[in-house]
Amino acid sequence: MKAPLLDLEPIHTPIRDELRQAVLRVLDSNHYIGGPELENFEREISAYCGVKHAAGVSSGTDALLISLMALNIGPGDEVIVPSYTFFSTAGSVSRLGAKPIFCDINPITYNIDIEKASKLISSRTKAIIPVHLFGQTVAMPEIIQISQDNGLHVVEDAAQAVGAKYKNQMAGSIGTFGCLSFFPSKNLGGIGDGGLVMTNDGNLYELLLTLRQHGATQRYYHSRIGGNFRMDAIQAAALRIKLHHLDEWTKIRRANAAYYLDRLKDLEIQRYIQLPVEFPENFHVYNQFVIRTVNRDALQQYMGDHGIGTAIYYPLPLHLQECFRESGLKRGDLPESEKAAEQTLALPIFPGLTNEQMNIVVETMRRFYASV
Ligand SMILES: *Cc1c(COP(=O)(O)O)cnc(C)c1O
């Protein structure tokens, strides 16, 4: 591989000793679930994201699930979600017996189309889940406006957007809840699964802590039905180390994006590709650098043949997934989501990618378009 889509090696090598020490500290502590490492991590990440409370959980998926559980979402309720996102944004709604209502996206940002979302609100709608896709935030003031006008809760899916900002507000700090994922490929990745729910509401935070351990207010006394959504101490310890480096990695991701934006501009001018657009009120953290092209499948094949890793996020929008056939939606109903699924391709952007590797990515793309 000349340029893989993601390589954790150059990210972890400089902090390997620190990570090892953190892991050994947990091993020797005999305290493996929650505990002081988690409490410290929760305090540190709350400060970083500018929220009052944070509850570490088992994954980003469980962060979404437990947020919806805390809002009592269940059968008969509707939750508006974008169709073009990772599965769990909608899967978490269905798992509670509620109905995900799929909304189309804005073709420039790939984020939920807020005007279309406002037209999907019904008397059954309880919440909306804006997803800050690829690391760029949704226009949150507009989301907050339509949710206040209609009495909806906002659960931000900030799984791809830790450290991203809308003006001066951090992704995940604006809605009723904000959810993060620490899946290893996210900008703040653990050494296994992990997630986080953030909120400024003290009562909801207490409820999260209860739901995180089977709804127990006191051991073996259950006020609600929750689940085992706890975070391991080893993840918290590793994430504490990595949180110190997050801003520096974000800076590199943004510099890598700037490099591509400059070097691929002429392919955009010639209308071969569409580059990502960062809106002025946004601070984009580029979890993915996603281009759009009508020759997507051929380009991906060519890049792969020349040692360059790329990925398709996501090849089938959620409203067309077999498991969501009850939505009744069919091909053609959410055209921008469907088009994005056919045309987008993520290029390598991770911190640790060298300029030489990025140059190979750019030159390979040029050779491909010179031949089409
Ligand atoms: C990664 C991701 C999740 C789920 O996080 P996990 O930690 O993998 O469970 C949810 N939503 C989006 C948009 C994601 O990218």
Side-chain angles (χ1 to χ4, degrees):
M1 265 271 136
K2 287 182 194 148
L5 182 72
L6 172 66
D7 184 3
L8 292 173
E9 180 91 30
I11 301 173
H12 285 166
T13 297
I15 58 169
R16 196 153 181 274
D17 286 342
E18 281 179 282
L19 283 174
R20 284 169 72 114
Q21 276 165 26
V23 169
L24 289 173
R25 191 170 70 225
V26 173
L27 181 63
D28 293 340
S29 74
N30 296 313
H31 201 144
Y32 302 133
I33 296 173
E37 290 290 349
L38 179 61
E39 284 160 24
N40 284 320
F41 174 60
E42 288 172 338
R43 206 166 25 246
E44 288 155 9
I45 191 136
S46 304
Y48 181 85
C49 289
V51 288
K52 286 200 188 126
H53 309 285
V57 293
S58 30
S59 69
T61 300
D62 287 341
L64 290 163
L65 185 67
I66 197 175
S67 297
L68 299 173
M69 288 171 86
L71 298 174
N72 287 313
I73 283 166
D77 296 331
E78 294 180 354
V79 178
I80 298 171
V81 299
S83 178
Y84 183 66
T85 174
F86 180 62
F87 173 79
S88 57
T89 311
S92 56
V93 175
S94 297
R95 283 172 70 185
L96 295 173
K99 194 175 172 196
I101 301 295
F102 297 107
C103 184
D104 212 356
I105 54 161
N106 174 309
I108 307 294
T109 61
Y110 305 108
N111 281 332
I112 193 164
D113 183 320
I114 301 172
E115 205 179 307
K116 286 181 185 160
S118 69
K119 297 196 178 111
L120 296 173
I121 297 170
S122 77
S123 58
R124 290 167 177 252
T125 314
K126 269 223 168 160
I128 180 165
I129 309 183
V131 181
H132 307 306
L133 203 69
F134 305 141
Q136 174 155 245
T137 54
V138 175
M140 286 307 289
E142 294 170 40
I143 293 281
I144 297 297
Q145 189 64 53
I146 64 162
S147 47
Q148 279 175 355
D149 292 348
N150 295 280
L152 311 182
H153 287 292
V154 177
V155 177
E156 294 178 71
D157 182 342
Q160 300 181 8
V162 62
K165 282 180 242 176
Y166 184 88
K167 296 201 172 141
N168 280 326
Q169 284 181 294
M170 284 272 186
S173 72
I174 307 164
T176 313
F177 290 116
C179 299
L180 298 182
S181 163
F182 306 122
F183 184 76
S185 71
K186 305 294 161 94
N187 286 19
L188 180 61
I191 51 174
D193 274 313
L196 190 89
V197 186
M198 301 184 278
T199 184
N200 286 311
D201 183 318
N203 292 329
L204 286 175
Y205 169 66
E206 294 298 328
L207 182 54
L208 289 175
L209 299 186
T210 304
L211 290 169
R212 182 167 75 174
Q213 17 201 1
H214 298 292
T217 36
Q218 184 189 334
R219 190 176 286 188
Y220 307 127
Y221 292 84
H222 303 265
S223 57
R224 290 257 320 243
I225 296 172
N228 173 359
F229 300 124
R230 296 180 298 248
M231 185 190 269
D232 290 338
I234 212 166
Q235 296 309 330
L239 288 163
R240 289 181 72 194
I241 306 289
K242 294 185 80 174
L243 181 58
H244 291 301
H245 299 273
L246 182 60
D247 281 341
E248 151 203 338
W249 291 328
T250 298
K251 213 169 146 188
I252 300 171
R253 284 179 183 275
R254 289 177 55 81
N256 290 352
Y259 180 95
Y260 282 138
L261 289 171
D262 178 48
R263 298 279 318 278
L264 294 171
K265 199 184 283 168
D266 56 322
L267 289 181
E268 182 171 67
I269 291 166
Q270 295 169 75
R271 295 182 187 272
Y272 287 125
I273 63 170
Q274 185 186 309
L275 291 164
V277 177
E278 179 175 355
F279 280 78
E281 34 315 291
N282 286 340
F283 181 78
H284 196 323
V285 295
Y286 292 99
N287 179 239
Q288 302 295 344
F289 186 93
V290 174
I291 63 149
R292 182 197 280 273
T293 174
V294 291
N295 313 101
R296 195 268 310 272
D297 291 346
L299 175 64
Q300 183 177 39
Q301 179 74 45
Y302 187 87
M303 299 290 269
D305 290 346
H306 292 82
I308 293 161
T310 60
I312 297 168
Y313 300 111
Y314 297 91
L316 186 66
L318 298 183
H319 70 284
L320 301 178
Q321 298 283 347
E322 193 184 342
C323 67
F324 293 130
R325 59 191 171 271
E326 273 176 38
S327 75
L329 294 172
K330 49 190 192 323
R331 209 167 269 284
D333 287 342
L334 302 180
E336 294 301 345
S337 301
E338 293 165 27
K339 220 192 282 175
E342 282 163 18
Q343 299 183 339
T344 56
L345 192 67
L347 306 180
I349 182 95
F350 66 92
L353 195 66
T354 63
N355 273 16
E356 195 186 339
Q357 286 175 308
M358 283 191 287
N359 188 45
I360 294 171
V361 173
V362 168
E363 291 307 321
T364 308
M365 281 179 68
R366 277 186 202 298
R367 279 203 305 281
F368 173 78
Y369 283 107
S371 71
V372 294

